[in-house]
Amino acid sequence: MARIRLTFLVIIILYVFIISYVLFLNVENSKSSYVINEKNKKTATLLDSKGRIIAIDKPIYEVWLDLKTIRKRGKMDKMKMLLSRYVSEKDLQRDFVDLGQYEDMLEVKTYIPAEILKYSRIYKTYQRIYNTSYGMRKNIGEINKTEYGIEPYLKNNNMINKSEIKLTIDLKMQRIAYEELSKTIKEQDAVGGTVIIMETKTGKIRAVASNYPYNMAFMGYVEPGSTMKPIIYSIALEENIISPYQKFNLKPRIKPVPDVNFTISEVEGHYFNSVDVKDAIAYSSNVAVTMVMKKILENYSEEWLYDKLKRMGLGEKTGVEFSKEISGVFMPPDKWYKITPYQIAIGQGIGVTPIQLVSIFNILANEGKYIKPTFLENKKGKDIQIFSPETADLMKDWLRYTMVKGTARKAYKPGVLIAGKTGTAQKAEAGKGYSEKYYSLFVGFYPASKPKYTIVSIVDDPKHEYYGGEVAAPIATNIFYRLENFKYNNKPEIVEGYIPNLVNKSLYEALFELETIGVDSRKIVIKGNGRYIISQYPKEAKKIEDTDIVILYLGDEKQ
């Protein structure tokens, strides 16, 4: 009897042991038998000034099957049928096979069986997603692919390894600037153009649109033409060389250097007998500003003039956070000709980048202070007093008058109180002198009385009209008009809590729908250009609470 009990006890112990062992194996097998390896470091997320995504790293999971280990452990014959669904017969002879890239581990586990994952190596890498719409690619650049742009600058200065960086760009303002510039270029059959909008007090760049293969705003230069005249008048006023009430008795042309065959004439149709300073600026008199330059040189040397202009930023890189910025063209006095100062007075013989031009003109809007432009939202710039506040305020008043009565009056729009100066610069051709092609320019600020933004708009070789007041100035007016009046009017039909199907809708409609259902605009990335949404990520019917990022792909034709 005791023997039977002992035998029974042994059986029970063995049974418990076997059950425990099986349970142990199941627990072990239920654990992840794979390791996720970090293949590269995450790069900082770039945000616009409102927190919207400009560039972000999207996690990607690469799965590599380790066939070498399967053969080494003698599992190939047993697993061959299963493997044939994922690996070709030829690839079965290799040591490692790429099983593809997946958006998350849930997708990995959904498509690849645990038996295969057990012998797989998983690498977590990152795909850089950029907001490429409305010229943003030319602003941001791309790490390891372009030498120009904000992102290469940040990398070169060891600033890219933070979790996120907030830039000064406002994507809404960027879109409006790009659209207004593109519309004018199309209407005028122009070669290209550039717009920069800068916050007056801080130097923060809110929008940059450049309709060239490169970013003209920082990597190209133009002669400033008549947009240079308010600077010359401001110098003369600041030094008491002329008075605010100065009157000029004018002839149609002037020869500033008696022994040199060089004549400066008024623009055809702009002839004056007598004008004061305000009207000389408003109607852009070439002869009057030449007379002012003669007075400056009677009181100061060319070296003094050069230093004064250099201090404002002529011929110097602004130092903005953009890799490959150029310095423009501004020769020192020992390389000047006798006529050079007078060429400068009418905006010829020098080359300014658009970012230089808007920064220099901003001195007049910013109480006479120069402030360095920046793309970093949290950076505080230092200003330099160039002109007295009194001189700057006087010039602001006169530039308001220019928009209403002078060369920019065609750009006037009721309700948009903008101030500024137009310019029309002949394009120079290497070895040939000036051509019959023009740059149309406008530099100004808004609102006119208490400036918040300073803007430059340039159109390259417009074919139908070419004066700055007819081509470039309306771009600025239309931009600020839209910023003040931009509203959505239609309510969409939506399912609350879920991402809707946005394909074939306009960008405006799509953004409005996403905003209406509570998608944070900071999580929306726009790629490409065009009128319609041609694809989206994620697809419709995904819960908003489970959505980290929404990508809208643009195209010109509906799907």
Side-chain angles (χ1 to χ4, degrees):
M1 190 71 179
R3 196 172 183 180
I4 293 172
R5 287 177 180 173
L6 181 62
T7 303
F8 184 71
L9 183 60
V10 169
I11 290 171
I12 291 174
I13 292 171
L14 286 172
Y15 179 77
V16 172
F17 175 78
I18 290 168
I19 293 298
S20 300
Y21 182 69
V22 170
L23 290 173
F24 173 77
L25 286 179
N26 286 337
V27 170
E28 286 299 303
N29 287 333
S30 69
K31 294 178 180 178
S32 297
S33 56
Y34 50 82
V35 176
I36 300 176
N37 303 283
E38 197 89 22
K39 199 170 183 181
N40 54 15
K41 289 184 178 181
K42 193 174 181 181
T43 305
T45 298
L46 301 184
L47 306 173
D48 86 336
S49 60
K50 307 297 184 185
R52 307 180 191 104
I53 296 171
I54 290 176
I56 191 170
D57 278 358
K58 179 183 174 186
I60 296 292
Y61 294 85
E62 295 180 1
V63 182
W64 288 82
L65 177 60
D66 186 353
L67 292 170
K68 184 178 180 181
T69 298
I70 293 175
R71 286 192 294 268
K72 187 176 180 181
R73 295 185 180 179
K75 302 287 186 179
M76 182 60 74
D77 291 339
K78 184 179 178 181
M79 296 181 64
K80 195 166 186 180
M81 184 174 291
L82 177 62
L83 290 172
S84 65
R85 292 162 53 191
Y86 300 90
V87 183
S88 68
E89 188 70 30
K90 182 180 178 181
D91 284 341
L92 281 173
Q93 309 307 313
R94 297 170 59 188
D95 288 341
F96 295 94
V97 175
D98 182 6
L99 295 183
Q101 294 183 336
Y102 302 85
E103 293 181 352
D104 51 41
M105 284 306 301
L106 178 61
E107 189 177 25
V108 171
K109 293 175 183 177
T110 300
Y111 288 101
I112 302 176
E115 294 91 331
I116 291 180
L117 278 180
K118 182 178 178 180
Y119 296 100
S120 297
R121 298 184 183 184
I122 301 173
Y123 296 94
K124 183 180 181 182
T125 185
Y126 296 97
Q127 179 185 0
R128 193 74 166 157
I129 303 293
Y130 292 90
N131 189 326
T132 57
S133 61
Y134 305 111
M136 282 300 294
R137 172 66 189 273
K138 293 168 192 172
N139 294 338
I140 303 302
E142 191 169 341
I143 290 177
N144 300 325
K145 288 191 178 179
T146 67
E147 292 184 358
Y148 68 84
I150 298 170
E151 202 168 67
Y153 178 95
L154 296 175
K155 182 187 177 185
N156 295 339
N157 289 274
N158 299 316
M159 300 169 67
I160 202 68
N161 294 323
K162 302 176 182 178
S163 60
E164 64 180 39
I165 298 171
K166 184 175 278 192
L167 302 179
T168 58
I169 293 288
D170 181 327
L171 287 175
K172 175 183 171 181
M173 207 174 294
Q174 176 73 24
R175 180 175 74 246
I176 293 172
Y178 182 88
E179 288 175 346
E180 290 301 326
L181 175 66
S182 299
K183 182 179 73 173
T184 298
I185 289 171
K186 185 177 180 180
E187 289 172 351
Q188 293 291 335
D189 193 22
V191 171
T194 299
V195 169
I196 303 174
I197 304 173
M198 187 169 78
E199 202 169 80
T200 302
K201 297 295 182 184
T202 64
K204 293 176 181 178
I205 300 169
R206 296 306 184 194
V208 181
S210 181
N211 203 307
Y212 291 89
Y214 59 98
N215 198 323
M216 172 72 173
F218 311 97
M219 301 167 68
Y221 63 83
V222 299
E223 289 188 340
S226 293
T227 62
M228 193 69 190
K229 291 172 182 174
I231 302 300
I232 301 303
Y233 283 109
S234 295
I235 292 172
L237 287 166
E238 184 76 5
E239 303 301 327
N240 295 313
I241 294 170
I242 61 172
S243 79
Y245 311 103
Q246 184 95 27
K247 281 194 174 288
F248 302 98
N249 296 315
L250 305 178
K251 294 181 179 180
R253 61 191 60 83
I254 186 172
K255 190 175 181 182
V257 183
D259 59 344
V260 177
N261 186 22
F262 174 72
T263 301
I264 293 176
S265 304
E266 299 289 14
V267 175
E268 186 177 349
H270 284 208
Y271 303 124
F272 315 97
N273 293 319
S274 176
V275 294
D276 58 17
V277 181
K278 182 172 71 172
D279 281 333
I281 295 171
Y283 296 106
S284 205
S285 169
N286 289 335
V287 174
V289 78
T290 304
M291 294 170 67
V292 170
M293 180 57 77
K294 281 181 72 73
K295 287 180 173 292
I296 291 173
L297 294 177
E298 287 170 3
N299 289 272
Y300 295 98
S301 67
E302 291 180 346
E303 287 76 14
W304 178 91
L305 176 63
Y306 174 81
D307 291 340
K308 190 79 173 177
L309 294 173
K310 196 83 170 174
R311 193 163 175 256
M312 297 181 203
L314 271 181
E316 297 281 350
K317 294 180 183 180
T318 65
V320 69
E321 298 85 5
F322 186 95
S323 185
K324 295 301 176 181
E325 180 193 12
I326 65 171
S327 56
V329 179
F330 187 43
M331 296 296 182
D334 59 0
K335 295 184 178 180
W336 286 8
Y337 299 101
K338 290 182 179 180
I339 62 172
T340 298
Y342 304 103
Q343 289 179 303
I344 293 172
I346 58 173
Q348 294 182 353
I350 54 176
V352 296
T353 64
I355 188 63
Q356 286 174 339
L357 185 54
V358 74
S359 300
I360 292 169
F361 209 86
N362 189 61
I363 296 169
L364 304 178
N366 190 29
E367 299 177 327
K369 292 176 283 192
Y370 176 89
I371 188 159
K372 179 179 171 181
T374 183
F375 273 118
L376 300 178
E377 181 66 25
N378 297 320
K379 183 177 179 180
K380 291 186 177 180
K382 293 182 179 179
D383 50 48
I384 303 170
Q385 197 75 46
I386 302 294
F387 300 124
S388 67
E390 292 76 20
T391 297
D393 286 345
L394 184 61
M395 195 57 63
K396 276 194 294 187
D397 288 339
W398 290 347
L399 292 171
R400 281 201 298 268
Y401 176 78
T402 299
M403 287 297 297
V404 178
K405 298 291 185 180
T407 55
R409 63 188 179 277
K410 289 187 178 180
Y412 173 74
K413 224 170 197 175
V416 183
L417 301 176
I418 193 170
K421 182 72 184 77
T422 61
T424 307
Q426 278 184 284
K427 294 181 70 172
E429 294 183 359
K432 296 181 180 180
Y434 288 103
S435 68
E436 293 303 312
K437 299 177 181 180
Y438 296 86
Y439 285 109
S440 175
L441 303 97
F442 175 78
V443 198
F445 39 87
Y446 170 85
S449 55
K450 293 182 179 180
K452 185 176 180 182
Y453 301 111
T454 305
I455 187 170
V456 60
S457 54
I458 301 173
V459 178
D460 184 349
D461 189 20
K463 302 297 190 302
H464 307 301
E465 299 165 312
Y466 59 85
Y467 288 120
E470 297 170 338
V471 180
I475 294 174
T477 307
N478 291 338
I479 287 171
F480 293 122
Y481 182 81
R482 285 182 63 184
L483 282 173
E484 291 295 332
N485 293 277
F486 189 75
K487 288 184 175 70
Y488 295 107
N489 297 317
N490 300 315
K491 291 186 177 181
E493 295 182 6
I494 55 178
V495 179
E496 192 172 340
Y498 290 85
I499 298 295
N501 181 7
L502 302 169
V503 174
N504 291 331
K505 295 186 176 179
S506 72
L507 179 61
Y508 297 151
E509 291 171 332
L511 292 175
F512 184 40
E513 287 195 24
L514 291 172
E515 179 184 319
T516 302
I517 61 175
V519 175
D520 191 336
S521 64
R522 296 174 296 182
K523 295 182 178 180
I524 301 171
V525 174
I526 303 167
K527 292 183 68 67
N529 291 300
R531 297 177 60 192
Y532 303 106
I533 309 299
I534 60 173
S535 182
Q536 70 182 73
Y537 168 87
K539 303 298 182 184
E540 70 272 19
K542 184 171 181 179
K543 285 187 176 181
I544 294 171
E545 62 188 33
D546 297 331
T547 303
D548 294 325
I549 182 174
V550 176
I551 305 174
L552 303 178
Y553 298 88
L554 300 182
D556 287 321
E557 296 183 3
K558 292 185 176 182
Q559 298 303 294

